[in-house]
Amino acid sequence: MGREFGIGVRHAIEQTKMTHREIARMLDWDESKLSDLVRGKGGVSEAEVLQLLAFCRVPPTEVRRLLALFRETRETGYLQIPEDGVPDLVRSLVEQERLANVITVWSMNLIPGRLQTADYMQALLAGLARSKAVNYDEVIAARLARRELFHWSREFVFFVHEQALRLPVGGLDVMKDQLLHLLAMAQRSYISLRIVPIAIGAHAGLGGSFMQLKYEKFEPVIYLEGEKSSLFLEDKASLTTYTEVLKLLDRQALDEEQSKELINSILI
């Protein structure tokens, strides 16, 4: 069952100000069933989901959303298409990042979003097909706010192709500041920055950029982002495939010190 569904159920339960044991007793459930439900592990029927949501007095609109998630996330993945067309603002991604304790990113063409400077972001947006319905200042603010999740209690691994370092987004001054920012972030003990050099030619990440999120209480999930949609994959076959990609990238990428040396060589 999907993580976003589990998050929604947990929020509903928290609003009751009751413990899991109290709620389970009043519903005549085993406490383990309620715990599994919150963790997105399944084991309940749609009727039982409705019973719990009614007990928690969840508003009808939220009940419909959670039931839709309950049905959809029995599939191998689930697609999010936000109304404003900005995948970074999808609530489910933000929630997943807050829950994850290990975040691994592969970025083939651009500096990863979490490591971008504001000027780099603005230059990227200037080159996109822009929508009048989107407030791009809010987009940049939201992306910068994601930096708040950088914390020593989490582990971040970034695999970045060398071509992303050499793509002159915004011009020389913007790129110089961006590369200096990468070096500064790479000094943090909980951030690992690994560059895949152009010199090796074909590499494991040619299929495209993605993010792997690992959790203490859930199975991992893979996040793919497109122009106007985002896709979460949580089936075993996809997880196995992307895990193998990361293992190969780990062998193909420069180590952390070599990666810093490469960035410094571009700055000279």
Side-chain angles (χ1 to χ4, degrees), residues 47-58:
E48 289 172 320
V49 172
L50 278 171
Q51 181 186 10
L52 174 63
L53 297 180
F55 177 84
C56 296
R57 298 185 179 181
V58 175

Side-chain angles (χ1 to χ4, degrees), residues 99-110:
L99 287 173
N101 62 321
V102 180
I103 296 177
T104 305
V105 176
W106 158 238
S107 188
M108 189 165 63
N109 300 312
L110 299 171

Side-chain angles (χ1 to χ4, degrees), residues 111 115-117 120 174-182:
I111 303 300
L115 298 177
Q116 293 173 6
T117 65
Y120 185 95
V174 170
M175 284 306 299
K176 180 179 179 181
D177 287 344
Q178 176 62 75
L179 295 180
L180 289 172
H181 180 66
L182 283 182

